[in-house]
Amino acid sequence: MINTKWILAVFIAIGLTNSSCDAISANQLTAENKIISQVANPQLENSKILHIINRLSLGATPGDIEKVREIGIDKYIQQQLRPESIPEPQSLKNQVSQLETLRLTPSQLYSQYSISRLPKPTQEMKQQRRKKERLIRQQAVKARLLRATESPRQLQEVMVDFWYNHFNVYQNKGQTRLWMGAYEEQAIRPHVFGKFRDLLGATARHPAMLFYLDNWQNTASNNPPKGRFKGLNENYARELMELHTLGVDGGYTQEDVINLAKIFTGWGFRRPGPELKNGYDFYFNDKHHDSTDKVFLGKAIKGGGIAEGEQALDILAKHRATARHISYKLAQYFVADEPPKTLVDKLSKRYLATDGDIRSVLETLFKSPEFWDTKYYNAKFKTPYQYVISSIRATDTPIQDFARINSILYRMGMPLYGNQSPDGYKNTQAAWLNPNGINWRLSFANTIGRGGLRNRNSNTNNKKPRRSNKPVDDTELTNTLGNNFSAKTQEVINTSPPKQRAVIILGSPEFMYR
């Protein structure tokens, strides 16, 4: 067993934490980063390859650097932007195909898995149905982790992570516990490279979003209150503008919020009852709709039922503030926590010129001089999700205990589908660089670096798993990561006992960044 205190002392020596573990020096970490391109990678081409892998994937796997070098950076970008051109391993397709809940509609999930669909259930029946309900979450987590770690369509997985957080739905709010997997599969995943308007419309109509942000209860003010239908509900309308499209500084007013809420009255789903056994697919209820004429963002919208909502989504998707908001978030995710204004302007212009074509905007981003500015290389602090997935990919560790991986993410503050607020998980250093988060990363580095995760995964069906404690090969790991370490970190790695080197690499300041 590796001495954790010794590991901590080594991390202190290379500048990852301080001796008390009560504070982290962001400046020190950043200073380490600035040395990387000067010391660790004398060849510019190598550093460019590492940069493109770090930003367009969830981390390098063994052989990735060589593959990109062989086909060239431009071809790698084009392949990743068109995931259908990249064959997926049959083993991955087989595993995902076995996750039957991913193929079900919201109404099917409710009908087959919800406790409330049981007529006069006994306690035993309730327990069995709760266990069945948990299967939905388990399969959603398994699908996400499998694809993130094993799919060669890495940019697609990066964009699923990006867009799910942009259009966040929390898994534990009422019926959303049944639907977050279907939401990702049906509303997010098919549209990550398409038109923003299509993505916006898919999320607006999905029962998971309608339930999470309460729009299913949104009814015309002149309707008499009935149960949960108590009149206008502004939740979805407000978040639709503030988070999904225009941004908090997008120029809308409270009057716009109210009118948008009126526009979306009646957007919801039919609840199950005697005449509708399943329910919970999208449904527009014209009896709940405010059919008056409205003015939204200075544009007249004539009362016209469901068409009003579609017109409002058109207006929002084409708005200049939306172009800027989406461009800023993409630049922040792929380039820097505070992205250069010149880049945001370019992306905004491209967004408007292509009617919100996400693939075109990304292509402009990846070709921009700002993206290739060396001061941004290895300068984005990894989120817990990115850190855990990149560790698994770099060490070529297969996952079988998916619940354990998600529990590790929970300890780090980022369980899948677990963000309660509609703004989703942040991807900035300020959100994640803290003593508790770093300590959990070091603990995970210790576990996976010494082979503990691999050993446990490979023996999940045994009551007493074999503890071979074979550590990850540090030479292979160093090659996978392109030997992308400062002189100080390299010195610590080289002077450490061989069995502890992989742990040092995974806990190094350089590996904390992408």
Side-chain angles (χ1 to χ4, degrees), residues 140-426:
V141 167
K142 183 174 182 178
R144 173 74 84 87
L145 293 176
L146 272 173
R147 287 161 164 162
T149 55
E150 297 185 19
S151 175
R153 301 173 177 181
Q154 275 292 288
L155 183 57
Q156 178 173 271
E157 299 312 309
V158 167
M159 295 310 297
V160 168
D161 175 49
F162 175 86
W163 287 122
Y164 193 100
N165 283 307
H166 184 81
F167 293 103
N168 183 57
V169 164
Y170 176 52
Q171 66 180 354
N172 287 331
K173 182 178 178 179
Q175 302 293 0
T176 57
R177 70 187 184 279
L178 301 172
W179 297 330
M180 77 282 181
Y183 174 70
E184 178 175 305
E185 202 71 16
Q186 298 157 11
I188 302 292
R189 187 170 286 275
H191 305 291
V192 295
F193 291 115
K195 296 285 188 179
F196 180 75
R197 172 63 178 85
D198 294 336
L199 176 59
L200 185 65
T203 59
R205 285 172 169 264
H206 200 280
M209 179 63 76
L210 292 165
F211 193 96
Y212 174 57
L213 290 181
D214 304 317
N215 202 78
W216 69 284
Q217 302 175 53
N218 184 20
T219 57
S221 301
N222 58 359
N223 282 16
K226 183 180 180 181
R228 295 192 180 187
F229 301 98
K230 299 177 181 178
L232 209 61
N233 188 305
E234 300 174 5
N235 286 2
Y236 177 65
R238 187 179 306 280
E239 306 303 355
L240 176 59
M241 288 193 286
E242 179 178 328
L243 299 178
H244 299 170
T245 56
L246 306 177
V248 67
D249 299 319
Y252 60 89
T253 66
Q254 177 59 23
E255 191 67 22
D256 289 318
V257 174
I258 293 171
N259 285 335
L260 187 59
K262 290 178 180 179
I263 287 168
F264 279 105
T265 50
W267 281 55
F269 37 72
R270 287 178 290 188
R271 303 185 71 190
E275 298 179 1
L276 187 69
K277 293 183 179 180
N278 293 329
Y280 286 119
D281 282 328
F282 175 78
Y283 176 69
F284 175 74
N285 189 336
D286 58 356
K287 294 179 181 179
H288 287 177
H289 183 65
D290 183 326
S291 58
T292 62
D293 294 344
K294 305 162 188 79
V295 175
F296 174 60
L297 295 175
K299 297 182 182 297
I301 295 185
K302 189 171 181 59
I306 192 173
E308 295 176 44
E310 297 295 343
Q311 185 179 350
L313 293 176
D314 288 342
I315 292 170
L316 289 168
K318 294 176 181 293
H319 203 283
R320 288 186 176 276
T322 298
R324 177 159 293 276
H325 181 56
I326 299 302
S327 297
Y328 181 91
K329 290 193 70 173
L330 287 169
Q332 182 183 69
Y333 190 95
F334 284 101
V335 178
D337 289 0
E338 296 183 8
K341 183 179 180 298
T342 53
L343 177 59
V344 176
D345 290 343
K346 289 175 188 174
L347 301 184
S348 300
K349 191 175 296 183
R350 186 61 175 163
Y351 177 100
L352 294 169
T354 61
D355 197 24
D357 187 83
I358 299 167
R359 182 181 285 108
S360 296
V361 174
L362 288 173
E363 194 166 20
T364 298
L365 194 161
F366 300 145
K367 289 181 177 179
S368 69
E370 292 89 349
F371 178 80
W372 291 106
D373 191 326
T374 56
K375 72 181 180 182
Y376 298 126
Y377 286 16
N378 220 52
K380 282 287 294 181
F381 191 71
K382 293 177 181 176
T383 67
Y385 176 71
Q386 292 164 348
Y387 177 77
V388 168
I389 299 301
S390 64
S391 299
I392 292 169
R393 286 173 58 79
T395 57
D396 199 23
T397 300
I399 307 176
Q400 292 177 14
D401 193 346
F402 296 92
R404 185 186 183 201
I405 298 301
N406 203 36
S407 70
I408 290 168
L409 289 170
Y410 176 82
R411 294 187 191 103
M412 293 182 183
M414 198 178 182
L416 291 174
Y417 316 112
N419 194 76
Q420 295 186 37
S421 61
D423 55 348
Y425 290 120
K426 303 294 188 295

Side-chain angles (χ1 to χ4, degrees), residues 489-506:
T489 300
Q490 286 181 333
E491 181 183 357
V492 174
I493 294 170
N494 294 334
T495 56
S496 299
K499 290 184 178 181
Q500 296 163 348
R501 290 175 183 171
V503 178
I504 302 299
I505 292 170
L506 295 173

